């Protein structure tokens, strides 16, 4: 019996967030602080609803745009990275990694409950935010896929299947 599958994909030039970050790697190595113009693409799969569409891609577009705007022009910090100390006060964030130390204005930072600010875990975090949004509108996708491009032709994709 042939099966049908539908998915909806949204990606826009405006789904860009310019952020600073650094990742740790190879146990105790870390990059210098640097930036990327990240770009996001989102796909959701599911059956057609009474409108004969999977989910309104205008609503999906607007929520993805809102999350991109929320991240844009911030320093992304992974609060679950065991190599980093991230201390937050009302107006400052102090980060230490080995002998390195940074002090940022709190409003310049986004503290993310992830282990490293890799494209993979940024995609997973964005997928979690979008899933909460669309489920709040009564839609539980069979599959959500989020692609985060760190640079042209360099991206990671997170996929969650219900
Ligand atoms: N699978 C992954 N690999 C790497 C990631 C990642 O998130 N997932 N991240 C990095 C670093 O963030 C690295 O800085 C990004 O790569 P890099 O080429 O250095 O960044 P640019 O493309 O902007 O550098 P240019 O030399 O200016 O092209 C590494 N690997």
């Amino acid at each position: 019996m042939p099966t049908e599958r539908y998915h909806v994909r949204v990606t826009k030039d405006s789904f860009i967030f310019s952020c600073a970050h650094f990742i740790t790697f190879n146990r105790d190595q870390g990059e210098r602080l640097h930036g990327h113009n990240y770009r996001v693409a989102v796909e959701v799969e599911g059956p057609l609803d009474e409108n004969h569409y999977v989910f309104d891609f205008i609503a999906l577009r607007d929520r993805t745009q809102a999350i991109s705007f929320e991240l844009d022009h911030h320093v992304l910090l992974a609060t679950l990275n065991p190599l980093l100390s991230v201390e937050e006060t009302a107006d400052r964030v102090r980060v230490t990694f080995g002998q390195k130390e940074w002090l940022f204005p709190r409003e310049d930072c986004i503290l993310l409950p992830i282990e490293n600010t890799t494209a993979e875990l940024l995609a997973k975090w964005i997928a979690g935010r979008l899933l909460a949004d669309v489920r709040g509108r009564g839609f539980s996708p069979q599959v959500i896929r989020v692609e985060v491009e760190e640079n042209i032709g360099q991206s990671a994709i997170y996929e969650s299947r219900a």
Side-chain angles (χ1 to χ4, degrees), residues 21 23 31 34 36 118-120 150-151 154:
H21 86 127
I23 65 170
E31 303 178 297
H34 63 282
H36 299 290
T118 57
E120 288 88 338
E150 241 195 22
N151 205 332
Q154 198 168 306

Side-chain angles (χ1 to χ4, degrees), residues 21-23 25 31-32 34-38 116-122 148 150-152 154-156:
H21 86 127
F22 64 93
I23 65 170
F25 58 95
E31 303 178 297
R32 285 196 306 275
H34 63 282
H36 299 290
N37 295 316
Y38 292 92
N116 215 359
T117 51
T118 57
E120 288 88 338
L121 291 185
L122 293 178
V148 169
E150 241 195 22
N151 205 332
I152 296 166
Q154 198 168 306
S155 65

Side-chain angles (χ1 to χ4, degrees), residues 139-156:
F139 172 60
S140 287
Q142 289 169 336
V143 181
I144 185 167
R145 207 171 287 117
V146 175
E147 177 175 14
V148 169
E149 183 182 74
E150 241 195 22
N151 205 332
I152 296 166
Q154 198 168 306
S155 65

Side-chain angles (χ1 to χ4, degrees), residues 99-120:
Q99 298 308 308
K100 289 186 172 184
E101 181 177 20
W102 300 266
L103 188 62
F104 299 109
R106 178 65 189 86
E107 66 188 25
D108 288 12
C109 301
I110 300 262
L111 274 57
L112 298 170
I114 58 178
E115 294 78 5
N116 215 359
T117 51
T118 57
E120 288 88 338

